[in-house]
Coordinates of all heavy atoms in Angstrom, one line a residue:
M223 N 62.9 99.7 21.9 CA 62.5 98.4 22.1 C 62.8 97.6 20.9 O 61.9 97.2 20.0 CB 61.0 98.3 22.5 CG 60.8 99.0 23.8 SD 58.9 99.2 24.1 CE 58.5 97.4 24.2
A224 N 64.0 97.1 20.8 CA 64.4 96.2 19.7 C 63.9 94.8 19.7 O 63.7 94.3 20.8 CB 65.9 96.1 19.6
R225 N 63.6 94.2 18.7 CA 63.1 92.8 18.5 C 64.4 91.9 18.7 O 65.2 91.8 17.7 CB 62.4 92.5 17.3 CG 61.8 91.1 17.3 CD 60.9 90.9 16.0 NE 59.8 91.8 16.0 CZ 58.7 91.6 16.7 NH1 58.6 90.6 17.5 NH2 57.6 92.5 16.6
L226 N 64.5 91.2 19.8 CA 65.6 90.4 20.0 C 65.4 88.9 19.7 O 66.3 88.2 19.2 CB 66.1 90.4 21.4 CG 66.4 91.9 22.0 CD1 66.7 91.7 23.5 CD2 67.4 92.5 21.1
T227 N 64.1 88.5 19.8 CA 63.7 87.1 19.3 C 62.2 87.3 18.8 O 61.6 88.5 18.9 CB 63.7 86.1 20.4 OG1 62.5 86.4 21.3 CG2 64.9 86.1 21.3
S228 N 61.7 86.3 18.2 CA 60.3 86.3 17.7 C 59.3 86.6 18.8 O 58.2 87.0 18.5 CB 60.0 85.1 17.0 OG 60.0 84.0 17.8
R229 N 59.7 86.3 20.1 CA 58.7 86.5 21.2 C 58.9 87.9 21.9 O 58.0 88.3 22.8 CB 59.0 85.5 22.2 CG 58.7 84.0 21.7 CD 59.1 83.0 22.8 NE 58.7 81.7 22.4 CZ 57.7 80.9 22.8 NH1 56.9 81.5 23.6 NH2 57.5 79.8 22.5
T230 N 59.9 88.7 21.5 CA 60.1 90.0 22.1 C 58.9 91.0 21.9 O 58.4 91.2 20.8 CB 61.4 90.6 21.6 OG1 62.4 89.8 21.7 CG2 61.6 92.0 22.4
I231 N 58.4 91.6 22.9 CA 57.4 92.6 22.8 C 58.1 93.9 22.4 O 59.1 94.4 23.1 CB 56.7 92.9 24.1 CG1 55.9 91.6 24.6 CG2 55.6 94.1 24.0 CD1 55.4 91.7 26.0
T232 N 57.6 94.5 21.3 CA 58.3 95.7 20.8 C 57.3 96.9 20.8 O 57.6 98.0 20.4 CB 58.8 95.6 19.4 OG1 57.7 95.1 18.5 CG2 59.9 94.6 19.4
S233 N 56.0 96.7 21.2 CA 55.0 97.7 21.3 C 55.0 98.3 22.7 O 54.8 97.5 23.7 CB 53.6 97.1 21.1 OG 52.6 98.0 21.5
D234 N 55.4 99.5 22.8 CA 55.4 100.2 24.3 C 54.0 100.1 24.9 O 54.0 100.0 26.2 CB 56.0 101.5 24.3 CG 55.3 102.5 23.3 OD1 54.4 102.1 22.6 OD2 55.6 103.8 23.4
K235 N 53.0 100.3 24.1 CA 51.6 100.3 24.6 C 51.3 98.9 25.2 O 50.8 98.9 26.4 CB 50.6 100.6 23.5 CG 49.2 100.8 24.1 CD 48.2 101.1 22.9 CE 46.9 101.2 23.4 NZ 45.8 101.6 22.3
L236 N 51.7 97.9 24.6 CA 51.4 96.5 25.1 C 52.3 96.2 26.3 O 51.8 95.7 27.3 CB 51.7 95.5 24.0 CG 51.6 94.0 24.4 CD1 50.2 93.7 25.0 CD2 51.9 93.1 23.2
L237 N 53.5 96.6 26.3 CA 54.5 96.3 27.4 C 54.0 97.0 28.6 O 53.9 96.5 29.7 CB 55.8 96.7 27.0 CG 56.9 96.5 28.1 CD1 57.1 95.1 28.5 CD2 58.3 97.1 27.9
L238 N 53.6 98.4 28.4 CA 53.2 99.2 29.6 C 51.9 98.6 30.2 O 51.7 98.6 31.4 CB 52.9 100.6 29.1 CG 54.2 101.4 28.9 CD1 53.9 102.8 28.2 CD2 55.0 101.7 30.2
S239 N 51.0 98.1 29.3 CA 49.8 97.6 29.9 C 50.1 96.3 30.6 O 49.5 96.0 31.7 CB 48.9 97.2 28.7 OG 47.8 96.4 29.1
R240 N 51.0 95.5 30.2 CA 51.4 94.2 30.9 C 52.1 94.6 32.2 O 51.9 94.0 33.2 CB 52.2 93.3 30.1 CG 51.4 92.7 28.9 CD 52.2 91.6 28.2 NE 51.4 91.0 27.2 CZ 51.8 89.9 26.4 NH1 53.0 89.4 26.6 NH2 51.0 89.5 25.5
L241 N 53.0 95.6 32.2 CA 53.6 96.0 33.5 C 52.7 96.5 34.5 O 52.7 96.3 35.6 CB 54.7 97.0 33.2 CG 55.9 96.6 32.3 CD1 56.8 97.9 31.9 CD2 56.8 95.5 32.9
E242 N 51.6 97.3 34.0 CA 50.6 97.8 34.8 C 49.9 96.8 35.6 O 49.5 96.9 36.8 CB 49.8 98.8 34.0 CG 48.9 99.7 34.9 CD 49.7 100.8 35.5 OE1 50.6 101.3 34.7 OE2 49.3 101.2 36.6
S243 N 49.6 95.7 34.8 CA 48.7 94.6 35.3 C 49.5 93.5 36.1 O 48.9 92.6 36.6 CB 47.9 94.0 34.2 OG 48.7 93.4 33.2
Q244 N 50.8 93.6 36.2 CA 51.7 92.5 36.8 C 51.4 92.5 38.3 O 51.7 93.5 39.0 CB 53.1 92.8 36.4 CG 54.1 91.9 37.2 CD 54.0 90.5 36.7 OE1 53.6 90.1 35.5 NE2 54.3 89.5 37.7
P245 N 50.9 91.5 38.9 CA 50.7 91.5 40.4 C 52.1 91.5 41.1 O 53.1 90.9 40.7 CB 50.1 90.1 40.6 CG 49.5 89.8 39.3 CD 50.4 90.3 38.3
A246 N 52.3 92.3 42.1 CA 53.5 92.5 42.8 C 54.1 91.3 43.4 O 55.3 91.0 43.6 CB 53.4 93.6 43.8
T247 N 53.2 90.2 43.7 CA 53.7 89.1 44.4 C 53.9 87.9 43.5 O 54.3 86.8 43.8 CB 52.7 88.7 45.5 OG1 51.4 88.4 44.9 CG2 52.6 89.6 46.6
V248 N 53.7 88.2 42.2 CA 53.9 87.0 41.3 C 55.1 87.3 40.4 O 55.4 88.4 39.9 CB 52.6 87.0 40.2 CG1 52.8 86.0 39.1 CG2 51.4 86.7 41.0
P249 N 56.0 86.3 40.3 CA 57.2 86.4 39.5 C 57.0 86.9 38.1 O 56.0 86.4 37.4 CB 57.9 85.1 39.6 CG 57.3 84.4 40.8 CD 55.8 84.9 40.9
V250 N 57.9 87.8 37.5 CA 57.8 88.1 36.2 C 58.7 87.0 35.4 O 59.7 86.7 35.8 CB 58.5 89.6 36.0 CG1 58.5 90.0 34.5 CG2 57.7 90.6 36.8
L251 N 58.1 86.7 34.2 CA 58.8 85.7 33.4 C 59.3 86.3 32.0 O 58.7 87.2 31.6 CB 57.7 84.5 33.1 CG 57.2 83.8 34.3 CD1 56.2 82.7 33.8 CD2 58.2 83.3 35.2
D252 N 60.4 85.6 31.6 CA 60.9 85.8 30.3 C 61.0 84.5 29.6 O 61.8 83.7 30.0 CB 62.2 86.6 30.3 CG 63.1 86.3 29.1 OD1 62.5 86.0 28.0 OD2 64.3 86.6 29.2
L253 N 60.0 84.3 28.6 CA 60.0 83.0 28.0 C 60.6 83.1 26.5 O 59.9 83.3 25.6 CB 58.5 82.5 27.9 CG 57.8 82.4 29.1 CD1 56.5 81.8 29.0 CD2 58.6 81.4 30.2
Q254 N 62.0 83.2 26.5 CA 62.8 83.3 25.3 C 62.5 84.6 24.7 O 62.5 84.8 23.4 CB 62.5 82.1 24.3 CG 62.8 80.9 24.9 CD 62.8 79.7 23.8 OE1 63.8 79.5 23.1 NE2 61.8 79.1 23.6
E255 N 62.2 85.7 25.5 CA 62.0 86.9 24.8 C 63.3 87.7 24.6 O 63.5 88.5 23.8 CB 61.2 87.8 25.8 CG 59.7 87.2 25.9 CD 58.9 88.0 27.0 OE1 58.9 89.2 27.0 OE2 58.4 87.2 27.8
Y256 N 64.3 87.4 25.5 CA 65.6 88.0 25.4 C 66.6 87.2 24.5 O 67.3 87.7 23.7 CB 66.3 88.2 26.7 CG 67.6 88.6 26.8 CD1 68.0 90.0 26.5 CD2 68.6 87.8 27.2 CE1 69.3 90.4 26.5 CE2 70.1 88.2 27.1 CZ 70.3 89.5 26.8 OH 71.6 89.9 26.8
A257 N 66.5 85.9 24.7 CA 67.6 85.0 24.1 C 66.8 83.7 23.7 O 66.2 83.1 24.7 CB 68.8 84.8 24.9
V258 N 66.9 83.2 22.5 CA 66.4 81.9 22.3 C 67.2 80.8 23.0 O 68.5 80.9 23.1 CB 66.6 81.6 20.7 CG1 66.2 80.2 20.4 CG2 65.8 82.6 19.9
G259 N 66.5 79.9 23.7 CA 67.3 78.9 24.4 C 67.2 79.2 25.9 O 67.8 78.3 26.7
T260 N 66.7 80.3 26.4 CA 66.8 80.7 27.7 C 65.5 81.2 28.3 O 64.9 82.0 27.6 CB 67.9 81.8 28.0 OG1 69.2 81.3 27.5 CG2 68.0 82.1 29.5
V261 N 65.1 80.8 29.5 CA 63.9 81.3 30.2 C 64.3 81.8 31.5 O 65.3 81.3 32.0 CB 62.8 80.2 30.3 CG1 62.3 79.7 29.0 CG2 63.2 78.9 31.1
C262 N 63.6 82.9 32.0 CA 64.1 83.5 33.2 C 62.8 83.9 34.0 O 61.7 83.9 33.5 CB 64.8 84.8 32.8 SG 66.3 84.6 31.8
A263 N 63.1 84.2 35.3 CA 62.0 84.7 36.3 C 62.6 85.7 37.2 O 63.9 85.5 37.5 CB 61.4 83.6 37.0
A264 N 61.8 86.7 37.6 CA 62.4 87.6 38.5 C 61.4 88.0 39.6 O 60.1 88.1 39.3 CB 63.0 88.9 37.8
V265 N 61.7 88.4 40.8 CA 60.9 88.8 41.9 C 61.5 90.1 42.5 O 62.7 90.3 42.6 CB 60.7 87.8 42.9 CG1 60.0 86.5 42.4 CG2 62.0 87.4 43.6
P266 N 60.6 91.0 42.9 CA 61.1 92.3 43.4 C 61.7 92.2 44.8 O 61.3 91.3 45.7 CB 59.8 93.1 43.5 CG 58.7 92.2 43.6 CD 59.1 91.0 42.8
I267 N 62.9 92.9 45.0 CA 63.5 93.0 46.3 C 63.7 94.4 46.7 O 64.8 94.8 47.1 CB 64.7 92.0 46.5 CG1 65.7 92.5 45.4 CG2 64.4 90.6 46.5 CD1 67.1 91.9 45.5
T268 N 62.7 95.3 46.6 CA 62.8 96.7 47.0 C 63.0 96.9 48.5 O 62.3 96.4 49.2 CB 61.5 97.4 46.5 OG1 61.4 97.3 45.0 CG2 61.7 99.0 46.8
A269 N 64.1 97.5 48.8 CA 64.5 97.9 50.2 C 64.5 99.4 50.3 O 65.4 100.0 49.7 CB 65.7 97.2 50.6
G270 N 63.5 100.0 51.0 CA 63.4 101.4 51.0 C 63.1 102.1 49.7 O 62.1 101.6 49.0
S271 N 63.9 103.0 49.3 CA 63.6 103.7 48.0 C 64.5 103.0 46.9 O 64.2 103.3 45.7 CB 63.9 105.1 48.0 OG 65.3 105.2 48.3
A272 N 65.3 102.0 47.2 CA 66.1 101.3 46.2 C 65.3 100.3 45.5 O 64.8 99.4 46.2 CB 67.4 100.7 46.7
V273 N 65.2 100.3 44.2 CA 64.5 99.3 43.4 C 65.4 98.2 43.0 O 66.4 98.4 42.4 CB 63.9 99.9 42.2 CG1 63.2 98.9 41.1 CG2 62.8 101.0 42.5
G274 N 65.0 97.0 43.3 CA 65.8 95.8 42.9 C 65.0 94.6 42.6 O 63.8 94.6 42.8
C275 N 65.7 93.5 42.2 CA 65.0 92.3 42.0 C 66.0 91.2 42.1 O 67.2 91.3 41.9 CB 64.3 92.3 40.7 SG 65.4 92.0 39.1
L276 N 65.5 89.9 42.4 CA 66.2 88.6 42.4 C 65.7 87.9 41.3 O 64.4 87.9 41.0 CB 65.8 88.0 43.8 CG 66.6 86.8 44.2 CD1 68.1 87.1 44.3 CD2 66.1 86.3 45.5
A277 N 66.7 87.2 40.5 CA 66.2 86.6 39.3 C 66.9 85.2 39.1 O 67.9 85.0 39.8 CB 66.5 87.4 38.1
L278 N 66.4 84.4 38.2 CA 67.1 83.2 37.9 C 66.9 82.9 36.4 O 66.0 83.5 35.8 CB 66.5 82.0 38.7 CG 65.0 81.6 38.5 CD1 64.8 80.7 37.2 CD2 64.5 80.8 39.6
S279 N 67.8 82.0 35.9 CA 67.7 81.7 34.5 C 67.9 80.2 34.3 O 68.7 79.6 35.1 CB 68.7 82.5 33.6 OG 70.0 82.1 34.0
L280 N 67.3 79.6 33.3 CA 67.4 78.2 32.9 C 67.4 78.0 31.5 O 66.8 78.8 30.7 CB 66.1 77.6 33.5 CG 65.8 77.3 35.0 CD1 64.5 76.9 35.2 CD2 67.0 76.2 35.6
P281 N 68.2 77.0 31.0 CA 68.2 76.7 29.6 C 66.8 76.2 29.3 O 65.9 75.7 30.1 CB 69.1 75.4 29.6 CG 70.0 75.5 30.8 CD 69.1 76.1 31.9
V282 N 66.3 76.4 28.1 CA 64.9 76.2 27.7 C 64.5 74.8 27.9 O 63.3 74.4 28.1 CB 64.7 76.7 26.2 CG1 65.3 75.7 25.2 CG2 63.1 76.7 26.0
E283 N 65.5 73.8 27.8 CA 65.1 72.4 27.9 C 64.6 72.1 29.5 O 64.1 71.1 29.7 CB 66.3 71.5 27.6 CG 67.6 71.6 28.3 CD 68.4 72.6 27.4 OE1 68.0 73.5 26.8 OE2 69.7 72.4 27.6
H284 N 64.9 73.1 30.4 CA 64.4 73.0 31.8 C 63.3 73.9 32.0 O 62.9 74.2 33.1 CB 65.6 73.3 32.7 CG 66.6 72.3 32.7 ND1 66.6 71.0 33.2 CD2 68.0 72.4 32.2 CE1 67.7 70.4 33.1 NE2 68.6 71.1 32.4

Side-chain angles (χ1 to χ4, degrees):
M223 296 174 60
R225 184 175 298 281
L226 306 182
T227 76
S228 62
R229 295 172 177 262
T230 306
I231 296 174
T232 56
S233 161
D234 58 349
K235 183 177 180 180
L236 176 57
L237 181 65
L238 287 168
S239 174
R240 291 196 178 181
L241 294 176
E242 196 73 37
S243 61
Q244 173 70 31
T247 56
V248 176
V250 177
L251 303 182
D252 157 20
L253 304 177
Q254 300 189 86
E255 296 168 55
Y256 172 75
V258 174
T260 301
V261 294
C262 306
V265 297
I267 52 167
T268 300
S271 61
V273 171
C275 73
L276 188 62
L278 64 83
S279 65
L280 287 167
V282 70
E283 55 266 30
H284 294 289

